[in-house]
C-alpha cells in the first residue's frame, strides 16, 4: 500500500500543483470512496479534497487538464500524427502508438493524399467536451446496476473489435472515458474505484490527463499489479466483472477469466452494447468512407484464386468455413483497400469464407458500384457489419466446422459459436447418422472428418492460414514494394537535401516541422496515400526515447550539435515503406561514430546473412547485436518485423527478435525490417532501418539438399558516411557500404532533380572509403574494396616520393568513371 | 511388410551367405513362430529353416557370428576402445557410444594408467559364451509366465540405473540378450517376436550380430515404428508390458506408459529382479574397484561446503531431502572418484542428502579407510547400494519433501516414493495438525511449506540443483582444467610430431594404431588416468562418418592423400580434455582448404563471441555456422557440450546447439566445447574442437547494467595452417590464428623436448600468414594483422623495383623476434 499511496500523491501533486502546492498525504485508496455510486459525491478523504463535492472539483480539474498546458496551436505546432510509434512485431514492450484519431480521406476509388497531421485534430475526451470525468464515471457506474448488466466492475481496453494497431475515433472508448489519449492503456472501473494501466512512455501524459478520480497504474514498475491482480485485490470474492467481448481476443478473454477465477469472480460478456457507448453523448460516427479495389497489377493474384487456395487449406484441415477478423487479412484476401483508420489502408469488416461462397460483413455505404462488381465476380456476398454474430450462429446451426484463430478473433464471435455448437450438438446427436449423411445441407462438402459428415458443428482453433499467405509476397506485390520504395527513396533524398540546408539556416526547425516537411515530399510522389505510421522525429536526447512522442513539452528544435533520428514510412498504392536514418548535421563525437558504426555493422551482418530455409527469425537476431555486444552495448527491442504490401506496416507472423517464442520460419517472399539501434539515455538515439525481401539464393552447394535463403534490400537511401568510423569496419563491410551506395545512386539518381542529384552523388560517393591524398590537390574517394588493400598504404601522409604510378593503385584494367563536382574529382571504379 | 521382409532377407543373406548363398525369401514375420514358448522349437517357417529345430540351428549361427568374420587379433588390430563416440549433449542424433565394456583399473587411491584398448576385451554376448540366441529368448519368455512376472512383453534398454553414458559390463543386458554389442539399442521381446531398435551407425553391425530370431528395427528410417508403436501394433489390446524400472528414468517410463495406453496396455514395473539377469548364467560381477578421494586442491570446495550449499537450496525450495542418482553428481558432490565404468571416473552409487545428514549408497568394498574418513568428516553415512529403495520409502514415512529430478532419477525410485506418499498421506491426514507441529521427527526442519509442517511427504519434481552447481566450475577446478589441458597439449604435440614422420614412412599405419600411439603419449603425462571417450580416428571418407567406429571392415590406413580427423580426450587427476584436429599430411585440395577455412571461421566466430549474461547457448550457435551457410554448407550436430572437471566429458545442463529447447543460460565458470565441422559423404570430414571457459569480460560499457560474458580457450594445440585458405579470412581472423598460435608456443613449448619444440615452432609460426617474397631468398612469415593492409601489396609478384624499404612494411616501432630454422627466417612481430 505504501507504493500505492505514493503514486497517488505524486499524481495529485502534479495535477493539483497550481492550486495546492503541498497536498496533504493521502490515506489508503481503499478508504477513499464508499461502495455506492451515489455516495461518490461525498468522499471521505483525502482531507484536502473532502471539503468540496467531487462534482464541483472535477470540473475545474477537467479544464485544468485540457485547457491549461499545453496550449493548442502555439508554435511549435505539434500535429497529432507525430505521436511516436513503435513496432509491436519487432519491439519488446511496445504496442504501436495508435493514439491519434482521424481518418485518411479518399473519395471513392480516387486516392487523395492529405497530411495526417491535418486530419487528426479532434480527439475523444479532449478539450472542449465539457463533460467532467466523474460525470462519465457516475453514468457508467449507474449502468452497472441495470438488470441487463448487473456487474461489479467493467474493463475498457484500447482495442477495436479487430485487434487493429490503428483504430477509428469512434472506438477510442478508453480515451473518451478516462481523458487519457495515449495509444496504450486499459481502464478498469469498479463501483468504488477507477484505475488506468499504461506503460512507461505514457506515465507523464497520463498524470496530466487523468482526473483525480483515476488511479494511475504504472505498468512495468515494480509492485504494480496487473488488472486482474488488482480486481482480485479490491473486490470481495465472487464478483461479476464485465467486458465487451468484441474488444478482447478469445485468448485474452480466457486468460482474464482464468486469472479472476482465483477470487471466484465471474467474467460477464456483455455483447449487446458497449457501456461506454451508452454514455458517450456525441460519439463520432463509425468511419464510412468508400473502399476501393486494389488493382490486380499490384495485388498479383485475383480474389477467386486466393479464395480457392484458402478453401483448399480449409478442406485439408477438415473445415467448412473460416471467420477472418483481422482487417488486413480481409483487405488482402479481397484485393480491397479502405481508409477507416489512420496509417493502414483497411476498412472495418469481417469475412466468412465457406467452401462454396463467401460473405463480407461491411457497411453498405462503403461499397461503391465498382467494388460491388469486383466482389460479385469473386462470388462474395455482402451483409451488414453487425450481422456477423447471427451468421456465425447460423453456421453452427448448419453444422459448420469453423476455423477460428482465437489469438485474434474476438471473444464475442468465438463464444457465440461455442455455445451454438453445444446447443446443436445435443440436437444433432439425436438424429440418426444415416439421415444426416444423405440429407446434409448444401453448404457442407464431403470431407474426411466424421464429425463433419455427421453435421456436428465444431471449431478448429488455429493460427489463421491467411496470415502466412499474406506474408509471403507474390511477384506483383514484390514489384510494387520495390517500385514504391524507389519513389519513397526519391522523396527522402529530396527531403534530406532540403533538411541539410534548412537545419543550418533555420534555428527554430522543430522535430514536428521536419516530419511535416517529409510528408510534403512524400505527397508529391505518385501513388502516395498516407504515412504508414506516425513519424518518429527525435533530435538528441529525444532520439534515445525509443517510444518517442513529440509534444510541446518534449519537442525539440533540430540542430547541428547532436544526432537526429528519423523513422518514417509511407503508404502507396503499390507498397508500404518503413525506413530509419540517423544523421548528424554538425560534427559527431568519436563515441557517436563508434556507436553508429557498430549499429551499422549489425545492420550489415543481418543484411548479408545466408541461412537454411525453415529457420525462425530469432536465430538471426544475434547477428545484428554481436558488434554492439563486443563493447557491452545492446538495444532493448527486436531487430525486424514483417511488413505488408500496400497494407499494414507491421504484420506477422514472422519476426527477427531476441524472443525465442516465435518459431515462424522465414520464407522466400517475406518482407522484414532490419533495424538494429543503440540508445543512450538523455543523450542520443541511433537506428538504421532498411526493409528486406527474403529470397532464395543460388549457392555453389546445397548441404543435405536444403535450400538457402538470403535478403534483398528494398530501401535505397544513403547512410550518412560522416557517422561511419571506417577503422572499425572490415573490408567486407566497407564493400557493403560502397556497393549499397552505388546501388542507391544508380536507382534513385534518375528520379530526382539536378540539385538533389548532386546531394545524392555526394552522399553515395563519400560513403565508407578511405580518403586519399594524391600528388596534386585532387581528393579522391575510392569506391571499391578489392582495391583497398592496394590503396590503403597511401592513406597515411606520404612523406617521401609518391607511389610509382596510379596505374598500380587503381588497377586500370577495371573501368572507372570520374565526375568533377566543385573542383573535386570523384572516382567510381566499376568492378 | 515389403520393407520388413526385405530387411529380413538382407540380414539372412549376410549371415547365411557362407552356407546358403541364395536363401529363400522369408514369409511374414508374424507367422514365423507360434505364441507358446515351448512351441518355439518348432518354427512354422521359413521353409529353408523349418526342417531343423531352432535350438540346433542357433548354435551354428552363434558360432558363425562370433567366430567367423571378423577374425580376432589379425592385423590391423582394432581395440574396442576405438568404437566411435559422439557427444549426446552437443549432437543431434547421437547417444554417446558406450558400447565398449571394461573397467579402467585403479588400485585404491593410486591412479594407474592403462590403455582402455587393453582393458576392454571381454564382451557380454560375445564370442565363446556358447549360449545360443534363441535359448536366451526361450529362457526369457519362460519367465513371462511366472506368477510374480505375468507379462506379455519385456523391454530391455541399454541403460544402467543412472542414465550413464558409459556403463559397466554387468549392466550390458541388452548386448547379452541380443548379441548386438553397439552402444545404442533397445530390445523388445514379446511371447512371439523379438525386435531390436538401433540407429544408422549400427545397422551393419546389428545385421551381422543379430540372430534370425531378431527383427532389426532401423530407427530413423522412414516407416520404422517406435517401440511403443510396434507394441501397440503386434500385441492384442490390454497386454501387460514389463520393464525394469531401474533402467528407465521416471519421465521416460511415463512417456512409455502414455504411449502404450493407447492400446490399453499396462506398464508393469518389475523392480525386484531383472529378467535378463535371471537368465544370464555367467554374468560379470558388478565393478568393485576402490574409490578414491578427489584431492581438495583439484576439487576446490570441501564436501561440507558443497552439502551446505545444497541444503540451502533444498530449504529455499521447501524440501527436506534430495535423491541424487547421476554418478557424476555424486562424485562431484562428495569429492570422490572411481573407476566403475570406462572413460568416466565415477562409481556406482546413490546419494541422499537431508538437511541434517547425508547417506551414500555404495558397496562397502569400494570404500577404503581413507575414503571412509573423508566421508565421515563430511557427515556422510554409508549404506549398501541396494538399500536405496527402502530408504526412499522410509523417507516418505518420515514425511520428507523429496527433490527428485525425474528426467534422470529412475522410475523405481520415483514410483516407490510416490506410492509411499499416497499411503502416508491418508494416514497422516487423520492425525491432528497440532500433534504433528509439536512432535515432528528430528529430521524435519521448520520450513515454510505447510505441507512440510504437517509432515505430509511430497515430491518436488525439478531439475537437479547439483547439475548446475557442478557445471559452474570453481577456481581450483578451472586451474586443474587449465593445467591438464597444457599437459594434454604437450602429449598431442609429441603425437603430431611423431605422426607427421610416421605417416610418411609407415604405409600400414591404421587409424587404430594412431589412436593407440596417442594413448601412449598421453599416458606419459603426469596424472593421466584414461581416455575420456573412445578416440575417433578417421581418415578420408571415414572422417565423414560423424559416428565413425573403426572395425576391421572399415578401418583404413592413414595416408597422405586425404584429410585425417582425430577427436580424442584424456582423463587426468585434475581435469578432463576433449580436442579435435583435422590435418592433411600431403597436399589438400583447394576445396578441402575452403571447407576447413570455413569451419575455422565458425570456430573463431564462436570463440570470439561476447554476449550478455543470461543468454542460452543456442543463441550463439548461428555464429559457428554462418561462414558455412554462406556457400550452402552446414553440419548436422550441435556446436558445443558441457565438460566436467576431472569428470564426465559430456555434461549438462548447458549446450550450444541449433536446437532451441535448452534454455540454460551460459554462466561464468562453465566449460563448453567449440566444435563446428563439415562432413562430405564418402570423401572427408573436418572438425576443429577446443574447450572454452565461459568468463566474465571487462568491457568499456555495460548496457542496462548487464554483465557480459566471453570465452577463454583451454585447448592449446596448433591448427594446421596448411589447410587454411588465408584469402577467405578477414584480418581479424588472421590475427586470431596468429594470436592463438603465439599462445600455443608460449604455453606448450616449455613442456616438450627439443625435437617436438621444433615441430611446435614450425606449426605455430607458419600459421595463417601471408607468405611474402622479399628481395633475397629469405622467406618471411608475418604474424600480425595490423600490418596486413600495408603488406599485402607485396603479396603479388613484384615486377619492378622492390618496395622502398622494409622499415615501412614491418613497422619497426613494433618489436619482433626472428628465428632461423633450416635456412628459413621466421619473424614473430610482437604487437
Amino acid at each position: 500500500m505504501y507504493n500505492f499511496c505514493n503514486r497517488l500523491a505524486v499524481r495529485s501533486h502534479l495535477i493539483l500543483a497550481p492550486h495546492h502546492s503541498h497536498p496533504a498525504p493521502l490515506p489508503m485508496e481503499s478508504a477513499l470512496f464508499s461502495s455506492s455510486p451515489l455516495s461518490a459525491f461525498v468522499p471521505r478523504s483525502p482531507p484536502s479534497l473532502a471539503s468540496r463535492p467531487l462534482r464541483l472539483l472535477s470540473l475545474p480539474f477537467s479544464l485544468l487538464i485540457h485547457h491549461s498546458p499545453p496550449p493548442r496551436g502555439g508554435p511549435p505546432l505539434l500535429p497529432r500524427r507525430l505521436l511516436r510509434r513503435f513496432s509491436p512485431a519487432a519491439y519488446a514492450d511496445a504496442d504501436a502508438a495508435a493514439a491519434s484519431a482521424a481518418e485518411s480521406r479518399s473519395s471513392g476509388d480516387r486516392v487523395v493524399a492529405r497530411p495526417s497531421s491535418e486530419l487528426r485534430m479532434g480527439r475523444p475526451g479532449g478539450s472542449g467536451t465539457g463533460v467532467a470525468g466523474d460525470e462519465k464515471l457516475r453514468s457508467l457506474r449507474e449502468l452497472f446496476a441495470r438488470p441487463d448488466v448487473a456487474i461489479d466492475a467493467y474493463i475498457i481496453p484500447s482495442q477495436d473489435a479487430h485487434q487493429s494497431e490503428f483504430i477509428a475515433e469512434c472506438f477510442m472508448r478508453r480515451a473518451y472515458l478516462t481523458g487519457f489519449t495515449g495509444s496504450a492503456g486499459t481502464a478498469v472501473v469498479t463501483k468504488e474505484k477507477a484505475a488506468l494501466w499504461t506503460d512507461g512512455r505514457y506515465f507523464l501524459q497520463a498524470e496530466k490527463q487523468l482526473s483525480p478520480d483515476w488511479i494511475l497504474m504504472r505498468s512495468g514498475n515494480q509492485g504494480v499489479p496487473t488488472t486482474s491482480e488488482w480486481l482480485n485485490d479490491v473486490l470481495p470474492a465472487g464478483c461479476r466483472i464485465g467486458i465487451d467481448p468484441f474488444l478482447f481476443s478469445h485468448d485474452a478473454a480466457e486468460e482474464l477469466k482464468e486469472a479472476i477465477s482465483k477470487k471466484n469472480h465471474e467474467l460477464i460478456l456483455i455483447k449487446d452494447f458497449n457501456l461506454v457507448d451508452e454514455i458517450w453523448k456525441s460519439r463520432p460516427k463509425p468511419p464510412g468512407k468508400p473502399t476501393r479495389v486494389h488493382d490486380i497489377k499490384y495485388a498479383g493474384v485475383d480474389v477467386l484464386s486466393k479464395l480457392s487456395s484458402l478453401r483448399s487449406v480449409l478442406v485439408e484441415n477438415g473445415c467448412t468455413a473460416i471467420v477472418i477478423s483481422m482487417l488486413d487479412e480481409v483487405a488482402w484476401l479481397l484485393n480491397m483497400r479502405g481508409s477507416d483508420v489512420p496509417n493502414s489502408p483497411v476498412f472495418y469488416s469481417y469475412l466468412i469464407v465457406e467452401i462454396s461462397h463467401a460473405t463480407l460483413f461491411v457497411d453498405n455505404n462503403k461499397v461503391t458500384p465498382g467494388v460491388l462488381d469486383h466482389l460479385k465476380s469473386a462470388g462474395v456476398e455482402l451483409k451488414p457489419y453487425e450481422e456477423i454474430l447471427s451468421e456465425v450462429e447460423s453456421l453452427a446451426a448448419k453444422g459448420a466446422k469453423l476455423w477460428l484463430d482465437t489469438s485474434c478473433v474476438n471473444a464475442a464471435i468465438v463464444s457465440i459459436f461455442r455455445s451454438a455448437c453445444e446447443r446443436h450438438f445435443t440436437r444433432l446427436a439425436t438424429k440418426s447418422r444415416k439421415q444426416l449423411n444423405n440429407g446434409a445441407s448444401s453448404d457442407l462438402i464431403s470431407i474426411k472428418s466424421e464429425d463433419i459428415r455427421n453435421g456436428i458443428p465444431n471449431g478448429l482453433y488455429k493460427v489463421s492460414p491467411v496470415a502466412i499467405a499474406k506474408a509471403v509476397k507474390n511477384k506483383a506485390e514484390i514489384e510494387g514494394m520495390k517500385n514504391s520504395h524507389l519513389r519513397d527513396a526519391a522523396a527522402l533524398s529530396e527531403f534530406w537535401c532540403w533538411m541539410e540546408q534548412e537545419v543550418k539556416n533555420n534555428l527554430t526547425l522543430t522535430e514536428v516541422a521536419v516530419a511535416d516537411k517529409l510528408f510534403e515530399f512524400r505527397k508529391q510522389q505518385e501513388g502516395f496515400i498516407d504515412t504508414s505510421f506516425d513519424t518518429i522525429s527525435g533530435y538528441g536526447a529525444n532520439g534515445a526515447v525509443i517510444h518517442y512522442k513529440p509534444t510541446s513539452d518534449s519537442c525539440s528544435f533540430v540542430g547541428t550539435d547532436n544526432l537526429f533520428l528519423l523513422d518514417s514510412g509511407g503508404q502507396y498504392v503499390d507498397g508500404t515503406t518503413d525506413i530509419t536514418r540517423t544523421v548528424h548535421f554538425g560534427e559527431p563525437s568519436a563515441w557517436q561514430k563508434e556507436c553508429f558504426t557498430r549499429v551499422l555493422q549489425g545492420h550489415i551482418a543481418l543484411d548479408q546473412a545466408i541461412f537454411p530455409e525453415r529457420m525462425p527469425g530469432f536465430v538471426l537476431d544475434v547477428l545484428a547485436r554481436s558488434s554492439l555486444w563486443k563493447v557491452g552495448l545492446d538495444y532493448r527491442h527486436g531487430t525486424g518485423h514483417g511488413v505488408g504490401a500496400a497494407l499494414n506496416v507491421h504484420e506477422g507472423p514472422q519476426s527477427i527478435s531476441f524472443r525465442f517464442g516465435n518459431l515462424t520460419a522465414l520464407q522466400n517472399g517475406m518482407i522484414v525490417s532490419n533495424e538494429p539501434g543503440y540508445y543512450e539515455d538523455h543523450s542520443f538515439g541511433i537506428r538504421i532501418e532498411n526493409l528486406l525481401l527474403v529470397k532464395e539464393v543460388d549457392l555453389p552447394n546445397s548441404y543435405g539438399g536444403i535450400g538457402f535463403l538470403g535478403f534483398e534490400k528494398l530501401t535505397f537511401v544513403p547512410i550518412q558516411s560522416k557517422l561511419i568510423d571506417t577503422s572499425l569496419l572490415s573490408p567486407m563491410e566497407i564493400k557493403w557500404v560502397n556497393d549499397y551506395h552505388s546501388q542507391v545512386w544508380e536507382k534513385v539518381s534518375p528520379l530526382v532533380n539536378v540539385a538533389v542529384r548532386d546531394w545524392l552523388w555526394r552522399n553515395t560517393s563519400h560513403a565508407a572509403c578511405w580518403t586519399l591524398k594524391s600528388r596534386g590537390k585532387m581528393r579522391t574517394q575510392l569506391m571499391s574494396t578489392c582495391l583497398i588493400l592496394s590503396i590503403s598504404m597511401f592513406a597515411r601522409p606520404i612523406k617521401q616520393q609518391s607511389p610509382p604510378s596510379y596505374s598500380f593503385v587503381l588497377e586500370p584494367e577495371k573501368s572507372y568513371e570520374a565526375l568533377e563536382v566543385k573542383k573535386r574529382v570523384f572516382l567510381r571504379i566499376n568492378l
Side-chain angles (χ1 to χ4, degrees), chain A:
Chain A
M1 294 312 290
Y2 173 75
N3 271 341
F4 180 59
C5 289
N6 253 17
R7 217 173 298 127
L8 256 190
V10 168
R11 179 163 52 81
S12 301
H13 176 74
L14 281 164
I15 293 166
L16 296 172
H19 303 288
H20 311 268
S21 52
H22 297 289
L26 298 183
M28 278 173 56
E29 171 72 5
S30 57
L32 274 178
F33 305 109
S34 76
S35 61
S36 147
L38 289 170
S39 63
F41 291 102
V42 193
R44 296 186 198 141
S45 53
S48 62
L49 303 176
S51 55
R52 300 206 244 166
L54 264 185
R55 181 197 280 271
L56 293 175
L57 250 183
S58 63
L59 244 174
F61 271 103
S62 173
L63 291 170
L64 181 73
I65 296 161
H66 302 297
H67 290 266
S68 300
R72 276 282 169 87
L77 188 69
L78 288 172
R80 290 285 171 186
R81 76 180 173 83
L82 288 177
L83 299 176
R84 74 82 258 142
R85 139 274 183 202
F86 225 66
S87 143
Y91 302 108
D93 50 344
D95 329 65
S100 59
E103 299 160 342
S104 297
R105 277 162 212 165
S106 71
S107 87
D109 285 346
R110 228 184 96 241
V111 175
V112 181
R114 293 187 58 186
S116 29
S117 54
E118 189 185 310
L119 302 167
R120 288 156 206 171
M121 297 305 287
R123 289 203 150 262
S127 58
T129 61
V131 180
D134 71 315
E135 176 63 26
K136 292 177 189 168
L137 278 177
R138 195 187 56 78
S139 309
L140 187 73
R141 284 175 176 137
E142 275 176 2
L143 295 176
F144 284 15
R146 242 167 63 176
D148 57 344
V149 177
I151 55 173
D152 302 290
Y154 194 61
I155 304 177
I156 306 100
S158 303
Q159 275 76 18
D160 64 13
H162 306 269
Q163 306 292 315
S164 305
E165 181 175 359
F166 308 104
I167 67 175
E169 198 176 348
C170 64
F171 300 127
M172 296 185 174
R173 289 144 178 151
R174 194 260 306 136
Y176 167 77
L177 182 71
T178 64
F180 163 65
T181 56
S183 71
T186 300
V188 180
V189 179
T190 69
K191 288 173 180 169
E192 295 175 339
K193 295 175 201 291
L196 176 102
W197 279 254
T198 190
D199 59 60
R201 53 194 157 134
Y202 291 122
F203 290 166
L204 213 73
Q205 183 183 349
E207 282 160 8
K208 285 182 190 163
Q209 295 184 322
L210 290 178
S211 82
D213 299 320
W214 288 92
I215 306 163
L216 174 58
M217 293 292 193
R218 292 170 177 80
S219 290
N221 278 9
Q222 219 173 1
V224 173
T226 63
T227 51
S228 47
E229 282 165 357
W230 184 75
L231 283 166
N232 288 350
D233 188 41
V234 301
L235 293 181
C239 280
R240 288 165 57 90
I241 296 167
I243 60 167
D244 178 343
F246 281 99
L247 308 186
F248 286 77
S249 74
H250 173 75
D251 289 353
E254 284 296 302
E255 203 179 305
L256 178 63
K257 188 174 163 183
E258 170 79 16
I260 60 173
S261 72
K262 285 173 190 159
K263 190 112 178 233
N264 285 321
H265 298 318
E266 195 185 347
L267 189 68
I268 309 297
L269 309 185
I270 305 170
K271 71 170 175 24
D272 294 334
F273 48 90
N274 182 290
L275 266 61
V276 176
D277 294 356
E278 295 285 297
I279 64 163
W280 194 343
K281 302 282 153 58
S282 49
R283 184 177 169 229
K285 279 188 184 165
K289 290 281 169 283
T291 56
R292 58 189 162 91
V293 174
H294 185 53
D295 200 314
I296 187 70
K297 75 180 168 197
Y298 306 133
V301 176
D302 63 42
V303 181
L304 263 180
S305 304
K306 286 183 181 178
L307 290 177
S308 166
S309 302
L310 175 59
R311 283 168 176 141
S312 301
V313 177
L314 294 184
V315 171
E316 274 165 29
N317 283 269
C319 291
T320 59
I322 182 170
V323 174
I324 297 161
S325 74
M326 296 293 280
L327 300 187
D328 63 334
E329 293 187 8
V330 177
W332 178 83
L333 204 51
L334 298 184
N335 291 348
M336 283 172 68
R337 295 295 185 269
S339 48
D340 283 353
V341 302
N343 302 322
S344 296
V346 295
F347 53 97
Y348 279 103
S349 56
Y350 296 99
L351 180 66
I352 294 182
V353 178
E354 295 173 78
I355 301 303
S356 56
H357 64 278
T359 314
L360 177 65
F361 297 80
V362 68
D363 286 352
N364 258 327
N365 59 4
K366 290 185 190 170
V367 184
T368 61
V371 170
L372 193 65
D373 285 351
H374 168 77
L375 288 173
K376 265 190 182 158
S377 68
V380 180
E381 289 173 26
L382 290 184
K383 286 197 176 169
Y385 180 75
E386 294 71 23
E387 285 187 15
I388 182 68
L389 285 195
S390 56
E391 183 71 15
V392 167
E393 229 174 350
S394 87
L395 274 176
K398 289 190 289 183
K401 183 148 183 178
L402 192 59
W403 188 319
L404 291 164
D405 182 345
T406 54
S407 69
C408 61
V409 174
N410 64 53
I413 290 174
V414 178
S415 67
I416 207 148
F417 181 71
R418 289 186 135 187
S419 46
C421 280
E422 278 161 33
R423 282 200 309 278
H424 291 291
F425 181 80
T426 327
R427 203 177 57 198
L428 286 168
T430 56
K431 296 189 184 179
S432 78
R433 289 195 167 208
K434 207 170 178 182
Q435 179 194 345
L436 279 161
N437 277 339
N438 299 335
S441 122
S442 63
D443 290 334
L444 293 174
I445 58 146
S446 170
I447 52 175
K448 280 171 203 163
S449 161
E450 275 185 40
D451 282 352
I452 298 302
R453 279 214 204 91
N454 298 346
I456 298 168
N458 205 345
L460 177 68
Y461 306 111
K462 197 173 162 181
V463 171
S464 165
V466 183
I468 196 85
K470 175 169 59 62
V472 175
K473 270 65 180 171
N474 62 45
K475 228 169 158 179
E477 288 172 329
I478 291 170
E479 196 61 22
M481 286 296 274
K482 286 183 177 176
N483 291 336
S484 56
H485 270 78
L486 293 186
R487 298 200 304 281
D488 202 56
L492 278 156
S493 297
E494 288 163 356
F495 162 80
W496 286 117
C497 177
W498 165 85
M499 177 92 184
E500 210 171 80
Q501 289 306 310
E502 188 71 7
V503 77
K504 281 162 190 166
N505 306 326
N506 182 350
L507 296 181
T508 57
L509 182 68
T510 65
E511 293 162 340
V512 169
V514 165
D516 283 346
K517 191 70 187 181
L518 173 56
F519 184 87
E520 291 305 318
F521 281 115
R522 278 206 167 100
K523 211 172 88 174
Q524 289 159 32
Q525 289 296 332
E526 200 188 320
F528 177 76
I529 297 169
D530 194 3
T531 51
S532 62
F533 57 92
D534 295 320
T535 299
I536 301 171
S537 166
Y539 178 69
N542 293 340
V545 183
I546 298 182
H547 300 295
Y548 180 57
K549 171 192 170 184
T551 68
S552 61
D553 289 348
S554 65
C555 177
S556 299
F557 298 123
V558 181
T560 57
D561 299 328
N562 208 335
L563 293 170
F564 175 59
L565 184 155
L566 188 69
D567 187 354
S568 70
Q571 287 290 0
Y572 295 84
V573 284
D574 51 349
T576 305
T577 69
D578 183 1
I579 171 174
T580 311
R581 287 292 180 270
T582 307
V583 297
H584 199 300
F585 295 109
E587 273 311 308
S589 69
W591 173 238
Q592 288 172 331
K593 285 173 73 171
E594 173 170 358
C595 295
F596 184 90
T597 306
R598 292 190 177 277
V599 170
L600 177 62
Q601 287 177 300
H603 183 96
I604 294 171
L606 180 58
D607 179 275
Q608 293 292 88
I610 305 280
F611 50 97
E613 55 192 13
R614 294 196 280 272
M615 194 65 68
F618 71 75
V619 170
L620 305 179
D621 184 73
V622 62
L623 301 177
R625 291 176 204 275
S626 282
S627 52
L628 287 164
W629 287 354
K630 294 264 187 228
V631 290
L633 304 181
D634 202 351
Y635 52 95
R636 290 203 188 90
H637 58 72
T639 308
H641 58 80
V643 179
L647 260 179
N648 293 2
V649 75
H650 299 133
E651 70 170 25
Q654 77 275 21
S655 79
I656 298 173
S657 169
F658 56 91
R659 311 209 150 193
F660 322 132
N662 187 343
L663 292 172
T664 309
L666 295 179
Q667 290 177 46
N668 187 40
M670 281 181 170
I671 288 169
V672 290
S673 68
N674 172 11
E675 45 182 317
Y678 171 68
Y679 311 92
E680 194 147 295
D681 282 351
H682 316 299
S683 187
F684 60 83
I686 294 165
R687 187 159 64 247
I688 305 172
E689 177 188 21
N690 279 355
L691 296 194
L692 303 175
L693 170 68
V694 182
K695 220 178 157 179
E696 272 166 21
V697 286
D698 195 24
L699 298 179
N701 314 285
S702 172
Y703 186 73
I706 283 175
F708 281 77
L709 300 170
F711 297 115
E712 180 184 341
K713 283 174 272 290
L714 295 176
T715 310
F716 290 100
V717 174
I719 292 166
Q720 200 180 36
S721 56
K722 180 200 285 184
L723 282 167
I724 303 173
D725 178 352
T726 49
S727 74
L728 291 172
L729 297 186
S730 72
M732 282 298 296
E733 289 163 338
I734 303 251
K735 181 167 159 50
W736 184 94
V737 176
N738 290 338
D739 288 352
Y740 179 58
H741 279 165
S742 294
Q743 284 182 281
V744 171
W745 170 254
E746 277 162 33
K747 288 171 188 282
V748 184
S749 60
L751 308 178
V752 294
N753 63 30
V754 176
V756 177
R757 196 160 181 269
D758 180 41
W759 176 89
L760 199 63
W761 174 261
R762 277 182 285 118
N763 281 276
T764 55
S765 300
H766 277 263
C769 306
W770 279 273
T771 300
L772 311 178
K773 288 279 178 197
S774 77
R775 271 168 300 184
K777 287 175 182 173
M778 187 174 69
R779 228 177 133 198
T780 310
Q781 282 81 29
L782 286 151
M783 299 296 297
S784 144
T785 48
C786 74
L787 297 178
I788 284 163
L789 296 183
S790 306
I791 289 160
S792 56
M793 63 169 292
F794 306 111
R796 62 185 63 218
I798 292 163
K799 291 165 195 161
Q800 303 144 352
Q801 77 272 38
S802 50
S805 81
Y806 260 109
S807 65
F808 175 78
V809 175
L810 295 180
E811 295 199 322
E813 67 273 21
K814 306 287 180 185
S815 73
Y816 62 93
E817 44 174 346
L819 179 75
E820 201 174 325
V821 179
K822 292 177 186 169
K823 293 189 180 169
R824 284 188 183 170
V825 170
F826 298 96
L827 292 167
R828 184 194 305 282
I829 299 157
N830 305 316
L831 298 174

